[in-house]
Amino acid sequence: MPDILLIETATSLCSAALIQGEEITAYRESAEPRSHASMTAVFVDGILKERGLKVSDCDAVCVSSGPGSYTGLRVGSSTAKGLCFGAGIPLLSAGTLDILVWKAIGEGLLPPGCRYIVPMVDARRMEVYSAVFDTKGERLSEIQPSIIGNDSFSKELSDGAVLFIGDGAGKCSDVIRSGNAHFVQCCPDAKSMLVPALKAWKEKRFEDTAYFEPFYLKQFVATVSKKNLF
């Protein structure tokens, strides 16, 4: 079984982990604001030293591919690609929404009778990046930006319990009032990449390291500061 480095930087939590065999054997995380650029490589270095490995001893690097923060995804992607180029090992990716789904499944967060999991990545205001998954981790709908209203996910909620999970879930709890709605406010993390990373490895779904780009879903828009700089 493979040794795979995991890097997750899609939201405000920056984390890294190591799979050895089929287990997570080392983990680092930081929720410090804007720490991704300074901490990601440090976490990888610490994990490798803890396990007595070099990057070239690993079989692959798996990075969260989005959707999520433009800056966070760029940091994770560039770090992962640099490691793969330097060590001559393949690049894997895992969708941010899939990571949240497997966090829910792996940590036993599903409410009784749960029919659907809806991971939500915050896209500011009342918008989230989301999709509908079943409780086996299979995606049932397209990934899209959604503005949350009173009737959002009404079809799924009419079928039974639905878990809304992610850093965009909490703000939706005041809008989605159904008794079948359950909310877990959290960020995706590298530990929860275990299943999707191993699946990508077994299916040999290797990315083109040179041309890989994260799935931003929306294009980054730069704004000009209105502050008087002089």
Side-chain angles (χ1 to χ4, degrees):
M1 296 301 292
D3 291 354
I4 304 175
L5 278 167
L6 309 173
I7 296 173
E8 212 303 309
T9 57
T11 64
S12 60
L13 183 72
C14 172
S15 62
L18 177 68
I19 296 174
Q20 292 186 287
E22 294 189 345
E23 297 182 353
I24 299 292
T25 59
Y27 179 69
R28 301 284 193 281
E29 72 170 42
S30 173
E32 183 179 346
R34 294 180 289 278
S35 67
H36 297 55
S38 61
M39 297 305 299
T40 304
V42 173
F43 286 164
V44 169
D45 182 61
I47 284 169
L48 291 172
K49 287 179 178 176
E50 178 183 327
R51 302 304 299 173
L53 299 172
K54 302 186 297 292
V55 179
S56 57
D57 294 323
C58 297
D59 296 289
V61 178
C62 185
V63 65
S64 58
S65 60
S69 157
Y70 181 90
T71 302
L73 291 171
R74 293 297 293 177
V75 169
S77 173
S78 60
T79 302
K81 291 169 73 168
L83 292 168
C84 290
F85 273 125
I89 57 177
L91 176 67
L92 305 170
S93 69
T96 309
L97 300 184
D98 296 84
I99 297 167
L100 283 167
V101 167
W102 284 104
K103 181 178 180 69
I105 296 171
E107 296 185 10
L109 301 176
L110 303 184
C114 186
R115 297 289 303 276
Y116 302 104
I117 306 170
V118 179
M120 292 178 156
V121 172
D122 190 12
R124 299 184 179 178
R125 298 185 179 86
M126 287 310 298
E127 190 172 25
V128 296
Y129 303 133
S130 66
V132 178
F133 289 72
D134 65 21
T135 55
K136 294 181 180 179
E138 295 296 322
R139 183 161 56 85
L140 306 176
S141 71
E142 294 298 316
I143 300 171
Q144 59 186 359
S146 302
I147 297 175
I148 301 303
N150 296 330
D151 60 349
S152 295
F153 303 102
S154 56
K155 178 182 179 298
E156 289 77 17
L157 288 163
S158 68
D159 289 340
V162 177
L163 176 67
F164 298 92
I165 182 171
D167 68 341
K171 69 182 184 182
C172 299
S173 62
D174 291 334
V175 179
I176 301 175
R177 296 287 191 170
S178 170
N180 284 332
H182 301 262
F183 299 89
V184 174
Q185 175 76 10
C186 66
C187 291
D189 58 70
K191 296 192 303 294
S192 302
M193 296 173 70
L194 175 66
V195 172
L198 286 175
K199 185 176 180 181
W201 170 262
K202 291 173 182 176
E203 295 175 358
K204 301 186 184 303
R205 286 190 279 108
F206 304 125
E207 302 290 349
D208 185 321
T209 305
Y211 293 101
F212 173 79
E213 288 287 338
F215 176 44
Y216 298 114
L217 195 55
K218 284 186 174 183
Q219 292 298 315
F220 175 72
V221 178
T223 58
V224 178
S225 174
K226 295 181 180 179
K227 294 181 180 179
N228 187 355
L229 301 180
F230 301 99

